[in-house]
Each structure stands twice: as structure tokens, then as C-alpha cells.
């Protein structure tokens, strides 16, 4: 099976994440993820890799043993099984030649991938592009990753003369719900020394920075009273919450920030005059900046409680995930260097980008497995306009092959560091 056929076969399995089940702690949150996991297990068996395991959570792992006579660090590659709940329809993938201009996805429904809206399409003139019929996601997030990983394994099984160290793979569920699968992944049992996820990004993009991320819940407790006799008695928790939000730093919200600028995201506000709950996301690329943001919200809560009375404001904070870059310092930087060398070996200019979000590598890195992110080649994730240039898909698989080869060469006896 070639790489494109493999990818399209995966898109035929509806693996939409189920937010309600995820909130209830069910993993995988959707049965389609288990169906795809079982399909992958059978394909891994057919390839002849070893130590294939599938857990009750649908986490799949396998190992390609080393064919070297010396030891090198064990590299791993990860993809996630689920697709975003932004669209839930079954995927009807199609391959269209792109000659420039607008690309018709669905003539009957008048759905076009328009170059005026997506100018990067110009980079793929002359390429074949995989798209949907405009009624669903494509699911390249993250089935392009799974297909590239499986293609890489197939290559090494078909070419035993190519030297490589031990390669491990992991497919995890429910990335689209706060990295749940990666957080449940046992990195110590897995036994890899470093890893890469493939998630997001056009060809050449390389991620080794993301947010330090936290969740904040602030509970405002007021005092209800009938409006006919409310004077001096009513303490409106909704207005308390609004005043709190008004005291947040101006301009430090998602809609005003870019690049490495952090923010406070007022995400949800619900309640009544007696009790109101404000939910916020806090994001910053630096550990110091993240700590300062969390401390500011704590201090502001304490200040407001002093104004409105004891117990009127309670601030609950939790860390969600950390910046991958925190785990790639000093002697742990080599996964970045190997990725850069793998890009260059394939004639691809590395374009490091800070990811203004989280990905499975953040959770894996935090659990002791340093894990940058390699491109899948796809664009417009979580959208009916998601598309995947065929050459970019092949490039992603080629980069993985080069990562494995370069690891074997770089850590060979007598090799230059």
C-alpha cells in the first residue's frame, strides 16, 4: 500500500472525538478511535514489527528492533487517533490536481477552496492536493501523521540493508481534548530516549516551543435579595465577575496577541446574582511569565475578596501542560538538531515556529520524553477547507526516515558529536 492510499484508508474511519464522553473520563471518547487502533494493529502485524500492544484506552505501541551492532538512543514517533469535533460528518476524501486559482470541492453546494482566502495555495501549483467534498474535515490532523509513520516503518522493513537503531511508535486517543491520551501514556514503560510528534503545519515548519498553559476557575459568591428591598443587601456576583474581568491587563487576550505574546483568555462566564463562575485559560511561553500571570490572578482575587468580603472570591488554579522547550535544553537539545539535519537532508529549509497551543509532545516531554513536533504538510486544520498536498505528505515520511538514519550515524562509534 502506498502512502496516499494508506492515508485515504484512514480517513474513511470516523474518529471524531466525543467531548461529552471525554468530560466523563471515557477513553477513547469515541468508538471510531478504537476501530482505527485495531486496524493499525493488524497493519503493524502485517509489516512484521514487534512488541505490538493495544490498551483498553486504544493506545497502540510497537517496536522496530535495531539492526545495528552498537547502541544508539531509541527514537519514537507519535500520532493521535482522534479528529476535532468541529465537524462530525464522515470524510469523503478526493485527490485533485491543482493548477492555480480556486479549487472546487463541491460544485453542487458551491464550495470552493479559494486562493484569495488561502494564498499559500500558490506554493502548490502543479501538485496534487487531497481535500474533502466540503462537508467534513479531512482528518489530516492527525491521520497524515499516522500514515507517514506507517510508511516509514514499511520502508525499513522492506530495506533491511539500511542501518537503523530501535524505533518505537505510539498512537494515542483524544489529543483534541486536552492531550488526554498523551497524558495517560506511560513513557517509562515505553522505553524511548526521545521522540517526535507529527501534528499540524505546512512543509518545513518545526515546533519546539509551545505554551506553558494553565486553567483558572474563579468563583464569585454574592448575596441574593428581592429587588424591592435589595438596597444594602444584594451583592451581585455577576457584577463582581464583570468588575474582575475589567481589571485584567488591556490587550493581553488571544484576539490582541501573536507570536510569543502571552495572554489571559476569558473563556466562560456563567451564574446568577448569588454565584458566578469565571473560567480562564492562562498562556505564556516563558516559565517566569507564566508564573507571574498565575500569581497576578491570585493576587487580584485576594484584593477583590478584601473589597467584597471574606469568601466572596475563590481562585482555583491548575497547570495543564508545559512548554516543550523546557525539556530541550543543554544535553537534551539533540532531538532538535537531528530534526534540522533531517529536513536539510531532504532539501527542506527548517522553519521553526512557536506553537500558540498545545500538542501531545508537551505532555510527553513533561513526563520525561523530549518531543519536538515535525510537520505533516497539511493546512487549515479543524476546517472543511483542510487540505494536504501529496508532495508534502511524502516529504513528512521522508523526514522521518532521515531522522532514523541520522540517529544511527550521529551516535555511531567514532562519529563526531
Amino acid at each position: 500500500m502506498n502512502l496516499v492510499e494508506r492515508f485515504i484508508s484512514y480517513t474513511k474511519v470516523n474518529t471524531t472525538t466525543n467531548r461529552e464522553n471525554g468530560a466523563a473520563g471515557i477513553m477513547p471518547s469515541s468508538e471510531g478511535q478504537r476501530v482505527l487502533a485495531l486496524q493499525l494493529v493488524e497493519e503493524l502485524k502485517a509489516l512484521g514489527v514487534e512488541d505490538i500492544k493495544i490498551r483498553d484506552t486504544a493506545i497502540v505501541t510497537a517496536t522496530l528492533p535495531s539492526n545495528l551492532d552498537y547502541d544508539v538512543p531509541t527514537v519514537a514517533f507519535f500520532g493521535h487517533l482522534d479528529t476535532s469535533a468541529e465537524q462530525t460528518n464522515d470524510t469523503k476524501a478526493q485527490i485533485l490536481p491543482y493548477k492555480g486559482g480556486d479549487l472546487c470541492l463541491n460544485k453542487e453546494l458551491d464550495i470552493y477552496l479559494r486562493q484569495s482566502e488561502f494564498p499559500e495555495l500558490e506554493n502548490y501549483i502543479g501538485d496534487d492536493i487531497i481535500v474533502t467534498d466540503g462537508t467534513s474535515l479531512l482528518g489530516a490532523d492527525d491521520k497524515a501523521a499516522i500514515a507517514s509513520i506507517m510508511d516509514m516503518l514499511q520502508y525499513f522493513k522492506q530495506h533491511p540493508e539500511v542501518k537503523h537503531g530501535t524505533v518505537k511508535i505510539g498512537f494515542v486517543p483524544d489529543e483534541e481534548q486536552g492531550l488526554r491520551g498523551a497524558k495517560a501514556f506511560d513513557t517509562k514503560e515505553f522505553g524511548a530516549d526521545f521522540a517526535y510528534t507529527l501534528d499540524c503545519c505546512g512543509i518545513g515548519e518545526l515546533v519546539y516551543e509551545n505554551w506553558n498553559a494553565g486553567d483558572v476557575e474563579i468563583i464569585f459568591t454574592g448575596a441574593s435579595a428581592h429587588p424591592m428591598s435589595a438596597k444594602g443587601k444584594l451583592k451581585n456576583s455577576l457584577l463582581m465577575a464583570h468588575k474582575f474581568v475589567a481589571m485584567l491587563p488591556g490587550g493581553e487576550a488571544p484576539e490582541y496577541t501573536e507570536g510569543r505574546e502571552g495572554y489571559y483568555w476569558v473563556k466562560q462566564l456563567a451564574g446568577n446574582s448569588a454565584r458566578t463562575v469565571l473560567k480562564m485559560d492562562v498562556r505564556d511561553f516563558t516559565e517566569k511569565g507564566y508564573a507571574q500571570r498565575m500569581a497576578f490572578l491570585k493576587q487580584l482575587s485576594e484584593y477583590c475578596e478584601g473589597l467584597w468580603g471574606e469568601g466572596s472570591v475563590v481562585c482555583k488554579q491548575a497547570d495543564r501542560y508545559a512548554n516543550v522547550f523546557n525539556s530541550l535544553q543543554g544535553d537534551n537539545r539533540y532531538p532538535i538538531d537531528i530534526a534540522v539535519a533531517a529536513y536539510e537532508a531532504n532539501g527542506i529549509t527548517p522553519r521553526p515556529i512557536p506553537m500558540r497551543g498545545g500538542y501531545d509532545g508537551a505532555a510527553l516531554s513533561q513526563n520525561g520524553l523530549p518531543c519536538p513536533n515535525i510537520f505533516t504538510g497539511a493546512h487549515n486544520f479543524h476546517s472543511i477547507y483542510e487540505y494536504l498536498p501529496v508532495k508534502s505528505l511524502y516529504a513528512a515520511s521522508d523526514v522521518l526516515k532521515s531522522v532514523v538514519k541520522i540517529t544511527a550515524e550521529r551516535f555511531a562509534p567514532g562519529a563526531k558529536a
Side-chain angles (χ1 to χ4, degrees):
M1 187 184 300
N2 70 39
L3 178 53
V4 172
E5 293 171 337
R6 207 180 270 285
F7 169 70
I8 290 178
S9 75
Y10 299 154
T11 68
K12 293 178 180 178
V13 184
N14 189 323
T15 60
T16 305
T17 199
N18 185 302
R19 290 170 176 164
E20 292 74 20
N21 286 346
I26 298 170
M27 189 187 304
S29 66
S30 57
E31 191 57 29
Q33 294 182 69
R34 191 182 307 279
V35 171
L36 180 57
L38 291 168
Q39 177 179 327
L40 293 170
V41 166
E42 293 306 310
E43 292 182 16
L44 289 165
K45 290 177 181 177
L47 285 175
V49 298
E50 299 181 6
D51 196 26
I52 302 166
K53 296 178 183 177
I54 181 169
R55 283 79 173 169
D56 291 342
T57 55
I59 290 174
V60 175
T61 56
T63 303
L64 175 69
S66 172
N67 63 5
L68 301 174
D69 58 5
Y70 56 89
D71 293 331
V72 300
T74 296
V75 61
F77 300 100
F78 285 85
H80 64 83
L81 299 165
D82 61 323
T83 55
S84 169
E86 298 298 329
Q87 298 285 336
T88 61
N89 292 338
D90 291 345
T91 298
K92 297 179 178 65
Q94 53 182 330
I95 305 172
L96 301 177
Y98 184 59
K99 300 177 182 178
D102 298 340
L103 198 60
C104 181
L105 306 184
N106 193 316
K107 188 173 183 179
E108 182 180 342
L109 297 176
D110 194 34
I111 301 173
Y112 284 81
L113 188 61
R114 301 194 183 278
Q115 189 176 15
S116 59
E117 297 177 22
F118 307 106
E120 72 279 358
L121 276 168
E122 187 177 7
N123 298 326
Y124 305 110
I125 293 175
D127 197 358
D128 289 335
I129 296 181
I130 309 173
V131 294
T132 73
D133 66 351
T135 64
S136 72
L137 306 179
L138 177 60
D141 176 14
D142 201 28
K143 291 168 183 173
I146 297 172
S148 295
I149 292 168
M150 296 294 284
D151 186 70
M152 175 270 299
L153 291 174
Q154 178 176 286
Y155 169 81
F156 285 111
K157 291 301 294 186
Q158 291 178 342
H159 296 277
E161 75 281 2
V162 178
K163 297 301 181 183
H164 61 82
T166 299
V167 179
K168 290 182 174 285
I169 63 101
F171 301 129
V172 298
D174 293 319
E175 186 270 353
E176 301 290 357
Q177 296 195 61
L179 322 181
R180 293 179 66 234
K183 288 178 179 178
F185 193 89
D186 190 336
T187 56
K188 291 182 179 178
E189 178 195 27
F190 192 47
D193 295 298
F194 68 110
Y196 301 92
T197 53
L198 288 83
D199 200 353
C200 99
C201 310
I203 184 170
E205 294 186 359
L206 174 63
V207 175
Y208 47 84
E209 293 181 80
N210 66 283
W211 292 128
N212 294 289
D215 302 324
V216 178
E217 181 180 85
I218 304 173
I219 303 168
F220 300 89
T221 302
S224 58
H226 194 285
M228 75 169 69
S229 57
K231 185 174 182 179
K233 300 175 183 177
L234 175 63
K235 188 163 64 173
N236 193 326
S237 71
L238 281 166
L239 294 181
M240 291 160 61
H242 280 282
K243 289 174 182 177
F244 184 95
V245 171
M247 287 186 275
L248 296 175
E252 296 188 25
E255 60 267 37
Y256 303 121
T257 54
E258 61 183 352
R260 290 181 173 80
E261 297 172 332
Y263 59 69
Y264 304 91
W265 184 14
V266 176
K267 197 171 183 179
Q268 183 177 327
L269 184 65
N272 51 38
S273 62
R275 185 178 186 272
T276 297
V277 178
L278 170 65
K279 293 186 177 181
M280 300 177 61
D281 286 355
V282 175
R283 301 289 186 266
D284 204 285
F285 276 96
T286 69
E287 290 180 287
K288 180 180 179 181
Y290 172 71
Q292 288 175 337
R293 290 182 184 280
M294 296 292 266
F296 169 76
L297 291 177
K298 198 76 173 175
Q299 291 165 3
L300 182 57
S301 298
E302 291 170 354
Y303 169 76
C304 288
E305 185 184 33
L307 288 176
W308 300 326
E310 185 177 354
S312 60
V313 185
V314 175
C315 181
K316 298 180 180 180
Q317 299 183 341
D319 299 326
R320 183 180 292 186
Y321 53 79
N323 190 340
V324 167
F325 194 65
N326 303 341
S327 304
L328 293 166
Q329 302 296 306
D331 292 340
N332 285 336
R333 184 187 163 83
Y334 70 91
I336 300 174
D337 298 334
I338 290 173
V340 168
Y343 281 42
E344 293 174 344
N346 288 280
I348 300 169
T349 301
R351 292 186 290 120
I353 60 168
M355 182 182 280
R356 290 178 64 83
Y359 67 99
D360 282 333
L364 296 168
S365 296
Q366 206 164 357
N367 287 334
L369 185 58
C371 191
N373 185 77
I374 291 171
F375 66 89
T376 60
H379 294 262
N380 301 338
F381 285 7
H382 297 196
S383 164
I384 62 171
Y385 300 110
E386 185 180 9
Y387 70 90
L388 176 61
V390 168
K391 289 181 182 177
S392 298
L393 177 60
Y394 276 98
S397 178
D398 289 341
V399 165
L400 301 193
K401 296 164 192 171
S402 294
V403 164
V404 175
K405 295 174 187 176
I406 290 168
T407 300
E409 295 164 0
R410 182 163 296 205
F411 292 94
K416 292 183 179 180

